[in-house]
Amino acid sequence: MADQEVDWTSHAESRIHEAGLKKSGPRGRVIESLAGRDCAATALEIDAELEGVGRATVYRAIEQLEELGLVQKVDLGGSAFGYEKVDPSGHHHHHIVCDDCGKVEPFEDEALEEAIHDIHRKGFKLEKHEVTLHGQCQDCR
Amino acid sequence: MADQEVDWTSHAESRIHEAGLKKSGPRGRVIESLAGRDCAATALEIDAELEGVGRATVYRAIEQLEELGLVQKVDLGGSAFGYEKVDPSGHHHHHIVCDDCGKVEPFEDEALEEAIHDIHRKGFKLEKHEVTLHGQCQDCR
DNA sequence: CGACAAAGTGAGAATGAGTCTCATTTACTA
DNA sequence: TAGTAAATGAGACTCATTCTCACTTTGTCG
């Protein structure tokens, strides 16, 4: 396990505690599962990985983590949403999805972030944004 | 019905014909419904609007139109996808979604398009992109 | 003009993701 | 240690989407 994962895990546990929530084994396992991934996973993938943890618990844990800003929901273009840990530093990335095989890769782009930051829309208070690029990966070409 | 809608409708019908597909009333009604909208609608909204047209037919028609590049699928953050006609001129927009009431508004931004156009990713052949901004609309603040 | 094959169709069953309920268990705190 | 609020797992449920299938329409070829 890399340092960053340890950081995110303990950061998440602290924030959970600060929010007045109790410690729990099943939720801890969901947090671990998210910590060990570089990019988005679906709720059902996590559920399948964690034997003995109920589906409802996985969804509940993800929801709580999302409310605390520890996890973000990302649309991968398919039928299910993906969820991934949010870097405490505020650093974030977007996604490239291969429309043939479904593979997802993270990417970052400074110019893109700036362009989005410069968008102002009358009456709308922007809170977050999501960019998904679609195409074909090397393997599928 | 505005000129642009007429154009898109007949353009769509021609492309359907070119693709070797047969003429049909129900699919024609789905095309009309899409033509009459400025922004995305869900498949079930279209289905509900068109009495006498089966759900399967609505989904099939949308799928065919999507394959022909006449319609694009957009993620509105909710549980269902939206579908909207693609302007034959290549002109396109993205979406701002109010996370409280679910309202969707289109927006365009030249700088954003350029930033996306400049992204090159080794091994990936980019085909399309999707940008969704989230926040709160005037009514919900 | 038929007649036939391919495309199209609607009803409803099936699937898949996500949500809800509820009886039971667990973690904190007084 | 008792009380209570949070947490849990099983499974029922909802909603969007896909699939199946028997039947109808379209277009073309003889």
Side-chain angles (χ1 to χ4, degrees), chain A residues 29-122:
Chain A
R29 296 183 59 201
V30 173
I31 292 173
E32 265 177 47
S33 174
L34 285 161
R37 296 166 188 271
D38 281 342
C39 200
T42 67
L44 291 183
E45 276 165 11
I46 294 171
D47 179 52
E49 181 190 316
L50 303 177
E51 273 180 63
V53 177
R55 231 190 352 266
T57 298
V58 172
Y59 279 103
R60 265 187 300 245
I62 289 172
E63 190 186 1
Q64 292 168 329
L65 292 167
E66 202 188 350
E67 273 167 15
L68 293 172
L70 295 161
V71 151
Q72 68 178 328
K73 184 194 262 190
V74 299
D75 167 48
L76 306 177
S79 53
F81 285 106
Y83 298 92
E84 65 185 11
K85 61 177 185 279
V86 173
D87 190 322
S89 71
H91 200 77
H92 76 157
H93 63 248
H94 295 292
H95 301 88
I96 297 186
V97 182
C98 173
D99 287 335
D100 287 351
C101 69
K103 186 163 71 184
V104 179
E105 282 189 20
F107 80 90
E108 298 168 27
D109 190 89
E110 194 47 48
L112 175 64
E113 294 301 327
E114 273 172 35
I116 290 172
H117 188 260
D118 287 346
I119 293 172
H120 299 289
R121 177 75 176 179
K122 193 170 54 101

